Amino acid sequence: MGVQTLDDLLARGVRGQRVFVRSDLNVPLRDGAVADDSRLCASLPTLRRLCEAGARVIVASHLGRPKGERVATLSLRPVAARLAQLLGAGVAFCDECVGEQPRAAIDELGAGRLLLLENLRFYAGEERNDPDFAKALAALADVYVNDAFGTAHRAHASTEGMTAHFDRVAAGDLLNSELRHLQVIREPNRPLLVILGGAKVSDKLSVLEALAPHADVLAIGGAMAYTFIAANGGATGKSLVEPDRFDAALAVQRAARDAGRRLLLPSDHVVADRFEADAPARVVAEIPDGALGLDIGPETAKRYAAEARNARTIFWNGPMGVFEMEAFAAGTRTVAAAVGDSPATSVVGGGDSLAAIHQLGLADRIDHLSTGGGASLEFVQGLTLPGVAALER
Ligand code: ADP
Ligand code: MG
């Protein structure tokens, strides 16, 4: 049992073969053009290598949430144009994902050429993992490659269902690199520091539960910290708290304690009277009535930064405060800089966390920036990703 890599696949040759590549080309669009092409860039190496090896490459992806219907603004057509620019080669486009139209387009496709299919989620069968849709997709190709790490935690037709129809399957370079880097969090050099923040405990409860006993130190920031503080009887004013998660938060603390781990909560806060960029901000040790916590305070940021310096492995998901507003960005900035400076192997995942890292200009100081938020959280919890399991042969 094992998962073949692209190297393994290319070693056996793919010239003239039809290779179906499930990529993650789910990019933000603005005014009908690609607004941020980082996901496309991350997908290029696999596509380039297959083209260079003379494969006839069929690329498929989802974009947004069209929920099984054709939504004109969620067409992948603008992505084909941008992809062609990045590759410096033509990219054919097909309005349909299954049936006669793509079949004819693939017949025309020369060795080393690329065809992009329309948004997979225009078909209800994609997210439902419908066997007939999966079979129709599989009928287009001889070989299957999954490079869509960001959707590897979903058992959809293009990530799971269709793979059963292939003898030759492989993980693309992006998927493979993600798994290798994230494996380091599962089997860390200790001490392992996990920094979790962001908006809600409920979004990340399973990762809290899994990592509290696993991480040597679990440092909590962002709005989720207030649910922990409130659950322990602390003052949280008007901060975002989830009373229905108090028990869960206390259980997470208990699990950390029972395993001999440390769980850290903020000891000071940046608060304001309203959730607005120009609201006057002040630092407090205890959140007063009528105020809401919008960032960890400077003392907390210093404590977390010191942990980053002592760690040998760091996993970070979720900003420490409302970093989108300058007045509440300092906590995230201090912690990010410390993670960047630390000699530890560092991995950062999550859409907003990555945005924060890029905004602070620290991207090249982090060892691995995970392109898949949900998938990276599921993987570091030790869960099996259906899209990866489907590649086992
Ligand atoms: P990621 O996308 O990295 O997984 P999340 O989506 O979980 O991160 O959380 C990011 C969001 O959490 C940001 O938009 C940020 O403004 C918000 N956030 C962080 N701290 C607070 C806070 N104290 N109050 C309200 N929102 C917060
Ligand atoms: Mg987010």
Side-chain angles (χ1 to χ4, degrees), residues 41 84 107 125 139 183 185 217 276 334 349:
C41 293
D107 282 345
Q183 187 62 33
I185 308 304
V217 184
E276 270 160 48
T334 300

Side-chain angles (χ1 to χ4, degrees), residues 58-343:
I58 305 145
V59 191
S61 175
H62 73 284
L63 179 67
R65 298 173 185 274
K67 302 250 162 83
E69 284 175 31
R70 243 167 223 281
V71 177
T73 52
L74 293 177
S75 171
L76 275 168
R77 194 176 276 280
V79 172
R82 188 81 191 97
L83 208 51
Q85 272 176 356
L86 292 168
L87 283 165
V91 170
F93 185 76
C94 185
D95 286 322
E96 305 279 348
C97 293
V98 291
E100 219 20 71
Q101 205 185 318
R103 191 188 310 275
I106 293 161
D107 282 345
E108 302 260 295
L109 197 66
R113 312 294 294 184
L114 209 140
L115 170 77
L116 176 63
L117 303 179
E118 185 52 285
N119 191 345
L120 288 161
R121 290 191 188 166
F122 283 2
Y123 298 78
E126 165 63 357
E127 290 191 83
R128 261 199 250 129
N129 200 2
D130 176 75
D132 293 330
F133 182 64
K135 196 170 172 195
L137 282 175
L140 300 176
D142 310 300
V143 179
Y144 173 87
V145 173
N146 192 347
D147 207 25
F149 177 70
T151 32
H153 60 316
R154 304 281 182 232
H156 293 166
S158 68
T159 60
E160 205 265 348
M162 70 183 289
T163 63
H165 299 279
F166 292 90
D167 293 325
R168 297 179 70 193
V169 299
D173 284 344
L174 174 64
L175 178 60
N176 193 40
S177 155
E178 288 276 8
L179 297 175
R180 244 182 329 104
H181 284 99
L182 291 166
Q183 187 62 33
V184 172
I185 308 304
R186 286 189 179 193
E187 296 170 288
N189 282 320
R190 294 186 180 272
L192 165 66
L193 168 66
V194 171
I195 307 168
L196 287 179
K200 289 187 190 156
V201 166
S202 51
D203 285 345
K204 294 180 182 169
L205 190 54
S206 58
V207 75
L208 283 162
E209 285 167 347
L211 295 184
H214 175 60
D216 296 275
V217 184
L218 175 56
I220 295 184
M224 72 162 71
Y226 309 123
T227 294
F228 279 87
I229 291 170
N232 287 284
T236 51
K238 292 194 296 184
S239 307
L240 198 62
V241 298
E242 296 174 278
D244 55 334
R245 303 292 173 185
F246 286 178
D247 288 342
L250 293 173
V252 165
Q253 279 180 302
R254 230 173 3 249
R257 202 178 323 116
D258 291 349
R261 312 296 195 193
R262 289 187 294 136
L263 185 147
L264 308 181
L265 293 174
S267 46
D268 62 344
H269 315 273
V270 180
V271 301
D273 294 332
R274 47 197 168 86
F275 194 121
E276 270 160 48
D278 63 351
R282 56 195 194 278
V283 175
V284 297
E286 196 165 289
I287 301 174
D289 284 349
L292 60 163
L294 295 171
D295 192 11
I296 58 173
E299 178 190 286
T300 306
K302 243 175 153 171
R303 284 167 52 221
Y304 291 5
E307 296 293 345
R309 279 191 293 276
N310 290 332
R312 290 183 67 200
T313 308
I314 302 174
F315 179 69
W316 182 11
N317 172 278
M320 296 290 96
V322 184
F323 73 97
E324 298 93 335
M325 300 178 184
E326 181 49 36
F328 312 108
T332 300
R333 187 183 300 128
T334 300
V335 172
V339 172
D341 284 343
S342 169

